[in-house]
Amino acid sequence: MADKCRVKLYSLNRDQQWDDLGSGHISSAYVEHLQSVCLLVQSDSSEALILESKINSNTPYQKQQETLIVWSEAEGHGMALSFQDAEGCQQIWEDICRVQGKDPSVRITQDLLDESDQFDDILETADVFDLPSCEVGKLEDIDDFVSSILALPLPIHKERLALILENGNYIKNLLQLFHTCEDQGDTEGLHHLYEIIKGILFLNKTSLFEIMFSDECIMDVVGCLEYDPAMAQPKRHREFLTQHAKFKEVVPITDCELMQKIHQTYRVQYIHDILMPIPSMFEENFLSTLKTFIFLNKVQIVRMLHEDDNFLSEVFVQLRNETIDDDKQRELLFFFKEFCKFSQTLQPPDNDALFKTLTHLGILPVLKTVMSRKDLQSRSAATDILTYLVECSPSMIREFIMEEAQQSVDGNLLINLISEQMICDTDPELGGAIHLMELLRALIHPENMLSTPSKCERSEFLYFFYKHCIQNFTAPLFAITSENICEGDNVVGADKNNTFLTLSALRFMRGMIGLKDELYNYYIIKGNLFEPVVNAFLKNGTRYNMLNSAVIELFEYIRVENIKSLVIHIVEKFYKTLESIEYVQTFKGLKIRYDEEKDQQNQIWKNLHTILYSQILCRGIRVLEKKEKMCIKEDSKEEEAVMPPLEDDFPDPYDKFMETKNPKENEDKVDVPKRTSSGSYKISSSPSAGDANETSSQSSSSTVGLKNDPDDEEKDEGDETSPKKKPHLSS
């Protein structure tokens, strides 16, 4: 059941929009610290729990469309679990019903009230639920009754009313009264029906929505909502939906169920967006299930279109048709834009499968072709579609871009087309340019790039981008500023019309420094990039403007964050120039940071010197003692007395450090016997002492009778004639 219990978790935010909290695998288990059975969802991307929800006995859970379970954790805080498979949904639904003691065949766990638990509530509300009969003369009483139920604080009253309306034909009878009132011109009755139907919608029950939004009832519901008592004249919503809002089949749809679902979704969205344009905070709490109803309809529409073997293929055949007229192509793109928007409701596996299908059908080459055309509406729709695809799978878009670059011979790449249109946007408000800029930012953002043992998308794509594409972005900057580059200390863009470029450059540099990446800091220092900043600041003089504030904030950030490499560079390079600026303490603060860093470094060097000297001296003494023991051992074999070493025979710690640094070389020097003038051989405790001081050498060495070796004589002669050389750290 692991695959069948995979879910996507949603939460209803304050704006009454469903936020995607992630996907994972769901289970139900007893949790000790909550002392209850809980719903647990473990994230796909990590082992963390993204949901730990206690199954309370009095919380209403709703099962919708076989793959969704919805409930409220608190007032106005809705939660939803969208299951990949209906069987997994049923399994969890049975667990919830088991905990609450309900029959799993119900769709809403708290609609069927337990008589033993709810007896007092039923007694309390028995007289309240004397619903007036459905007659024209009783419409005012029905209006007052529904309004009073909505005003009651306990949810049980709304649950009871919804149950009564669901089980009978009360809603359909009300809609029959609507026709009667409209035929008779009964304005008062129509006003009451408006309030009644709106109140039933605010009960927020899926079971009621399924009745009201059926083909039989939905247009009558829209008709009731035309007669708002606050309006002098009724609205013409039905006229708009039937005469002006025309459904265009860009490709014929033969599935009647799919066609019905598309019409229903459009009309329900119309009811939500047009009839309730600015709901109050009170009303928002009653619209969450309506939003869920629309959300699930969109999911079902996308799935049905994706599962149709011929539909999407036919759409792409027409999109690639070069002989198609602009109007037809525009309609195809508008349809596909809406389709992609709906597809954002899918779970990740379904979304990935859909994207692979679209890629296989050639969506990206088609979009590239459309974006090259002159029709602004088509280009805008293509850009929107590409944005949805980038949000869905930026990695697959990057893969296409790099593959396209390998196959292209003329450099006509999709990413270059995007940058060209961004730069050449003719809109004074730069709406299209900003849209394309956000798209490019998503493509080159390192944080959403994959990194696996076999592939590092960040290094591959960024290398490609900065090698083949960055020149398209920088060319306009060079073209604009090249004529304004002045001699000496004048800054780039000194012309008053290009002052904004200086601020843009500062923001760019501030962004780099804000990354706190020493590699960027190295290039800033190496390129001496603070020099034009300081020059622009000085040239600005005493003017208190955005340039002044931006420069001071840049230096203040470096001071506060104590970016040491930049602090040292700025103080050593520019402090004398900036020292006289005292209306802010930023530059003096940088100097204080600099002095503190230097003092700290000096103290560290002193401590290191002391520690290093002690270690060298101790190591030298240990080596000397070891060699003395070797000498004593050799002397004992010859039964010769050995004089103890004199104080002057101890080697310099520096020399001894070099001996320990090259132990092999030093061992050779100790082990090789040297010939004396008396024809015997000596083993010196210090390889360099014997050449410098004959007396020391004789007193600290042992003479051993060995056989003469001609080769050793030559080596000995070389040792005697060569002067002593003090080793260096580089040797």
Side-chain angles (χ1 to χ4, degrees):
M1 291 294 293
D3 293 335
K4 296 179 180 178
C5 286
R6 194 172 186 278
V7 297
K8 195 168 187 179
L9 179 63
Y10 296 91
S11 174
L12 194 67
N13 61 29
R14 292 182 178 179
D15 297 327
Q16 297 299 300
Q17 299 294 327
W18 287 101
D19 292 333
D20 184 352
L21 301 184
S23 57
H25 290 83
I26 188 170
S27 62
S28 60
Y30 183 82
V31 177
E32 185 67 32
H33 70 275
L34 295 177
Q35 296 185 348
S36 175
V37 177
C38 297
L39 296 177
L40 308 173
V41 177
Q42 187 174 22
S43 173
D44 279 341
S45 58
S46 66
E47 296 183 356
L49 285 177
I50 59 176
L51 176 69
E52 185 181 61
S53 177
K54 181 179 178 180
I55 303 177
N56 292 310
S57 59
N58 59 349
T59 297
Y61 290 83
Q62 299 180 28
K63 182 185 177 189
Q64 302 176 9
Q65 296 190 7
E66 306 304 326
T67 58
L68 190 83
I69 297 176
V70 181
W71 74 101
S72 292
E73 292 283 336
E75 185 68 24
H77 182 61
M79 302 293 293
L81 289 168
S82 178
F83 288 76
Q84 184 173 343
D85 189 273
E87 187 175 350
C89 181
Q90 180 62 26
Q91 178 187 3
I92 296 300
W93 181 250
E94 290 175 359
D95 293 343
I96 293 171
C97 292
R98 190 177 300 113
V99 172
Q100 293 196 337
K102 302 296 179 182
D103 185 348
S105 64
V106 302
R107 309 288 292 186
I108 304 175
T109 60
Q110 294 303 311
D111 270 356
L112 301 178
L113 302 176
D114 190 329
E115 293 183 2
S116 61
D117 294 337
Q118 305 295 341
F119 182 71
D120 293 338
D121 292 327
I122 293 174
L123 288 179
E124 180 183 343
T125 59
D127 57 337
V128 176
F129 282 91
D130 186 10
L131 190 62
S133 59
C134 195
E135 302 172 7
V136 173
K138 298 287 186 179
L139 286 176
E140 182 176 0
D141 295 337
I142 300 172
D143 183 3
D144 294 339
F145 179 83
V146 173
S147 299
S148 65
I149 294 298
L150 289 173
L152 292 173
L154 294 177
I156 184 174
H157 303 98
K158 303 177 185 65
E159 297 285 345
R160 293 277 294 172
L161 176 57
L163 187 62
I164 293 172
L165 293 173
E166 177 187 349
N167 291 335
N169 291 322
Y170 203 89
I171 293 176
K172 293 183 179 180
N173 292 336
L174 283 172
L175 297 177
Q176 287 296 327
L177 293 181
F178 164 71
H179 289 287
T180 301
C181 291
E182 197 169 46
D183 292 341
Q184 296 176 356
D186 185 354
T187 304
E188 183 180 358
L190 292 170
H191 287 169
H192 287 308
L193 281 166
Y194 171 90
E195 298 291 352
I196 293 168
I197 294 299
K198 186 175 180 181
I200 295 174
L201 288 172
F202 282 164
L203 289 174
N204 208 30
K205 292 296 178 183
T206 303
S207 56
L208 299 181
F209 293 158
E210 290 175 351
I211 297 171
M212 300 174 76
F213 299 152
S214 64
D215 288 345
E216 180 184 357
C217 298
I218 190 167
M219 293 307 294
D220 291 337
V221 170
V222 173
C224 290
L225 293 172
E226 291 180 354
Y227 293 92
D228 186 349
M231 306 299 295
Q233 295 293 329
K235 297 289 185 178
R236 297 179 178 272
H237 299 309
R238 286 172 293 174
E239 179 181 330
F240 173 81
L241 289 173
T242 56
Q243 298 181 24
H244 300 289
K246 296 295 184 180
F247 177 69
K248 298 179 180 179
E249 291 185 73
V250 292
V251 173
I253 297 176
T254 57
D255 190 331
C256 296
E257 182 184 357
L258 174 59
M259 181 70 75
Q260 185 273 337
K261 189 67 65 176
I262 292 172
H263 287 304
Q264 183 192 59
T265 303
Y266 178 81
R267 291 165 179 169
V268 174
Q269 188 75 56
Y270 180 88
I271 291 173
H272 179 273
D273 294 343
I274 304 301
L275 303 185
M276 303 173 188
I278 309 176
S280 65
M281 290 300 296
F282 172 78
E283 291 173 340
E284 283 185 2
N285 294 330
F286 294 97
L287 294 176
S288 59
T289 305
L290 182 59
K291 290 178 179 291
T292 303
F293 187 93
I294 297 169
F295 171 85
L296 293 173
N297 270 16
K298 292 179 178 179
V299 171
Q300 193 170 357
I301 290 169
V302 173
R303 284 178 176 169
M304 294 173 75
L305 288 173
H306 186 202
E307 291 169 359
D308 190 320
D309 295 332
N310 300 320
F311 185 82
L312 290 178
S313 299
E314 181 61 27
V315 171
F316 278 92
V317 167
Q318 295 195 31
L319 279 173
R320 285 192 293 264
N321 186 354
E322 296 182 358
T323 62
I324 194 172
D325 61 79
D326 291 343
D327 291 338
K328 179 66 173 178
Q329 186 186 66
R330 198 179 300 119
E331 290 175 2
L332 285 165
L333 288 168
F334 288 163
F335 160 78
F336 207 81
K337 174 184 172 180
E338 194 73 8
F339 175 77
C340 290
K341 186 177 180 180
F342 280 19
S343 71
Q344 292 179 313
T345 61
L346 295 176
Q347 292 190 30
D350 295 332
N351 212 347
D352 293 343
L354 175 61
F355 187 87
K356 289 179 180 178
T357 300
L358 297 179
T359 304
H360 177 72
L361 291 171
I363 179 64
L364 294 174
V366 167
L367 293 178
K368 178 183 174 183
T369 302
V370 174
M371 291 177 68
S372 303
R373 295 180 179 174
K374 295 182 179 180
D375 184 70
L376 293 179
Q377 288 184 314
S378 297
R379 281 166 47 184
S380 177
T383 302
D384 289 336
I385 295 169
L386 183 59
T387 300
Y388 292 134
L389 298 178
V390 170
E391 291 175 357
C392 170
S393 181
S395 295
M396 295 186 73
I397 303 295
R398 296 187 194 105
E399 185 176 348
F400 169 82
I401 290 172
M402 288 191 288
E403 289 178 356
E404 183 189 35
Q406 293 177 353
Q407 301 169 3
S408 174
V409 293
D410 57 0
N412 183 23
L413 307 179
L414 174 61
I415 192 168
N416 289 340
L417 177 63
I418 295 170
S419 61
E420 177 186 345
Q421 293 193 359
M422 180 188 72
I423 294 168
C424 301
D425 186 16
T426 57
D427 181 5
E429 300 296 329
L430 298 177
I434 293 173
H435 193 174
L436 291 167
M437 179 191 69
E438 293 297 333
L439 191 154
L440 285 169
R441 177 182 293 175
L443 282 175
I444 64 175
H445 200 303
E447 303 222 347
N448 63 18
M449 294 184 180
L450 300 176
S451 180
T452 63
S454 61
K455 180 179 181 181
C456 184
E457 188 179 33
R458 179 180 300 186
S459 60
E460 291 179 4
F461 186 79
L462 290 182
Y463 175 81
F464 159 80
F465 178 79
Y466 286 108
K467 182 177 178 62
H468 299 285
C469 308
I470 192 64
Q471 62 273 14
N472 297 321
F473 291 88
T474 56
L477 290 174
F478 292 144
I480 292 173
T481 58
S482 60
E483 297 179 358
N484 297 318
I485 298 178
C486 305
E487 298 292 337
D489 295 334
N490 288 346
V491 297
V492 174
D495 186 272
K496 64 179 181 180
N497 295 324
N498 290 330
T499 301
F500 70 94
L501 290 177
T502 305
L503 287 170
S504 299
L506 273 174
R507 286 197 296 269
F508 180 69
M509 188 172 181
R510 173 65 173 81
M512 284 194 297
I513 293 173
L515 295 174
K516 298 181 182 178
D517 188 325
E518 282 301 313
L519 183 61
Y520 284 117
N521 295 342
Y522 166 77
Y523 282 112
I524 289 172
I525 294 170
K526 182 180 178 182
N528 196 21
L529 300 186
F530 276 103
E531 182 174 0
V533 174
V534 173
N535 288 342
F537 182 63
L538 296 176
K539 188 179 182 67
N540 191 58
T542 59
R543 291 190 294 274
Y544 182 66
N545 51 22
M546 292 182 66
L547 178 61
N548 176 276
S549 299
V551 173
I552 291 176
E553 192 279 334
L554 175 66
F555 285 113
E556 181 66 13
Y557 176 81
I558 294 169
R559 183 195 70 81
V560 171
E561 297 297 325
N562 196 17
I563 305 176
K564 296 178 181 179
S565 59
L566 298 182
V567 169
I568 293 172
H569 171 71
I570 292 167
V571 172
E572 292 181 350
K573 188 85 173 174
F574 305 106
Y575 183 68
K576 290 183 179 180
T577 305
L578 302 170
E579 184 178 10
S580 60
I581 299 174
E582 297 182 345
Y583 62 89
V584 291
Q585 298 301 308
T586 298
F587 303 108
K588 288 188 177 180
L590 285 169
K591 183 63 165 59
I592 292 172
R593 290 284 197 192
Y594 174 84
D595 293 338
E596 290 173 350
E597 177 64 19
K598 286 298 181 183
D599 291 342
Q600 186 178 4
Q601 289 182 2
N602 291 336
Q603 187 60 42
I604 291 173
W605 279 113
K606 288 179 182 178
N607 295 339
L608 285 175
H609 182 270
T610 303
I611 295 170
L612 185 62
Y613 183 85
S614 300
Q615 290 179 347
I616 292 174
L617 181 61
C618 293
R619 189 182 296 118
I621 293 174
R622 287 197 299 270
V623 172
L624 182 60
E625 290 175 349
K626 182 178 179 181
K627 292 184 178 180
E628 288 298 327
K629 290 179 182 179
M630 292 174 59
C631 293
I632 293 172
K633 185 176 180 180
E634 292 294 334
D635 290 346
S636 63
K637 290 181 180 180
E638 299 296 329
E639 297 182 353
E640 294 183 9
V642 179
M643 292 291 292
L646 299 177
E647 184 178 354
D648 293 340
D649 291 328
F650 283 99
D652 184 88
Y654 176 83
D655 294 334
K656 190 55 61 181
F657 169 71
M658 292 310 302
E659 291 180 16
T660 58
K661 182 178 178 182
N662 301 291
K664 183 175 181 181
E665 180 182 345
N666 296 334
E667 288 173 5
D668 292 341
K669 291 181 181 178
V670 171
D671 293 340
V672 177
K674 294 187 178 180
R675 183 181 178 184
T676 66
S677 59
S678 60
S680 61
Y681 287 80
K682 67 178 180 179
I683 301 175
S684 175
S685 62
S686 175
S688 60
D691 295 325
N693 190 328
E694 184 67 24
T695 305
S696 299
S697 179
Q698 291 175 356
S699 62
S700 61
S701 63
S702 305
T703 56
V704 183
L706 297 174
K707 182 179 178 181
N708 253 349
D709 192 321
D711 294 333
D712 284 339
E713 289 181 11
E714 294 177 2
K715 293 178 181 178
D716 187 60
E717 290 174 359
D719 288 339
E720 291 177 354
T721 58
S722 61
K724 175 186 176 184
K725 295 183 179 178
K726 188 172 183 179
H728 298 281
L729 286 173
S730 60
S731 62

